[in-house]
Amino acid sequence: MPLTYYKRYRMEFDFRRRGLPAPELPEGYRWVSWHASLRDAHANVKFSSFRNEIDSQVFACLSDLPGCRRLMDDIADHQGFVSAATWMICFEGNVFHGPVMCGTIQGLRHTKWLGAIQNVGVVPEHRGFGLGRALILRSLQGFQGIGVQRVYLEVTAANDRAVQLYRELGFQLVRTRYREVETTSAPALV
């Protein structure tokens, strides 16, 4: 079967080198803190955020709702799960429809000093309002609150908007690697 190689960046934020601005949500949006009863809500937002994006090609679990549910269960059941770094954003609604969850982020602690951001997702209809930036900053606050000194995330290099946002927030590229994915089309390097 043909293979496609996706270029991935590991980027890191170091609290010892950079301050952290406060996360801000636009009017009409509110924070939703972690609760175990929200696993399916996180999975639904994750699926809506990633299903038509490049990361659903890189990680098959992001391409369907059952995969997103399994992934969310794996994250929430991980021994290093950080509830203080795990958030959702809810759009309060308007005259056309009621409240809807529209952003998600999760955090894991790998060591006493190192955390990892998982799956920054904003559904397409709510992009362009700064919700991704707010999610990252809120998650970083959670990590900082438990004493983590550095936080990393991984991003597909072809996701230019995300890479640019992470750089603007102070994340620095620390490693480049390639993820091998079996495909039905001719081999490619993305």
Side-chain angles (χ1 to χ4, degrees), residues 70-181:
R70 283 190 306 275
L71 177 59
M72 194 59 223
D73 285 341
D74 289 346
I75 292 169
D77 292 339
H78 190 280
Q79 69 178 5
F81 178 70
V82 180
S83 60
T86 301
W87 292 89
M88 289 202 320
I89 295 175
C90 180
F91 174 62
E92 292 290 344
N94 54 33
V95 296
F96 302 107
H97 60 78
V100 61
M101 298 296 189
C102 59
T104 182
I105 193 168
Q106 300 87 49
L108 296 176
R109 185 181 211 160
H110 286 289
T111 69
K112 181 177 181 178
W113 309 114
L114 181 66
I117 287 177
Q118 306 290 305
N119 311 118
V120 182
V122 176
V123 299
E125 301 81 12
H126 294 273
R127 292 180 184 160
F129 300 111
L131 303 183
R133 175 183 299 274
L135 281 165
I136 295 162
L137 291 173
R138 189 71 188 244
S139 185
L140 287 172
Q141 276 185 334
F143 282 115
Q144 189 176 38
I146 63 167
V148 168
Q149 293 180 354
R150 297 179 352 262
V151 175
Y152 77 90
L153 52 76
E154 290 194 0
V155 59
T156 303
N159 189 346
D160 296 327
R161 287 179 54 180
V163 172
Q164 179 182 345
L165 172 61
Y166 302 147
R167 284 189 174 132
E168 288 172 7
L169 290 172
F171 283 82
Q172 301 213 340
L173 178 63
V174 294
R175 186 179 331 150
T176 300
R177 67 182 190 99
Y178 291 86
R179 180 168 171 85
E180 180 181 280
V181 178

Side-chain angles (χ1 to χ4, degrees), residues 18 23 27-28 34 36-37 39 43 45 47 49-50 74 87 90 130 134 136 142 153 166 182 190:
R18 190 165 186 102
E27 188 174 332
W34 169 254
S37 67
R39 284 181 190 222
V45 174
F47 173 63
S49 299
F50 290 105
D74 289 346
W87 292 89
C90 180
I136 295 162
L153 52 76
Y166 302 147
E182 289 186 4
V190 180

Side-chain angles (χ1 to χ4, degrees), residues 16-98:
R16 299 166 299 175
R17 295 189 184 148
R18 190 165 186 102
L20 192 60
E24 296 180 19
L25 289 177
E27 188 174 332
Y29 292 88
R30 67 176 168 84
W31 293 109
V32 179
S33 60
W34 169 254
H35 188 274
S37 67
L38 295 173
R39 284 181 190 222
D40 277 348
H42 276 273
N44 289 336
V45 174
K46 192 183 303 284
F47 173 63
S48 295
S49 299
F50 290 105
R51 67 178 165 198
N52 295 319
E53 303 298 329
I54 193 167
D55 283 338
S56 69
Q57 297 167 29
V58 181
F59 301 99
C61 63
L62 295 173
S63 67
D64 63 37
L65 188 53
C68 288
R69 286 186 176 136
R70 283 190 306 275
L71 177 59
M72 194 59 223
D73 285 341
D74 289 346
I75 292 169
D77 292 339
H78 190 280
Q79 69 178 5
F81 178 70
V82 180
S83 60
T86 301
W87 292 89
M88 289 202 320
I89 295 175
C90 180
F91 174 62
E92 292 290 344
N94 54 33
V95 296
F96 302 107
H97 60 78

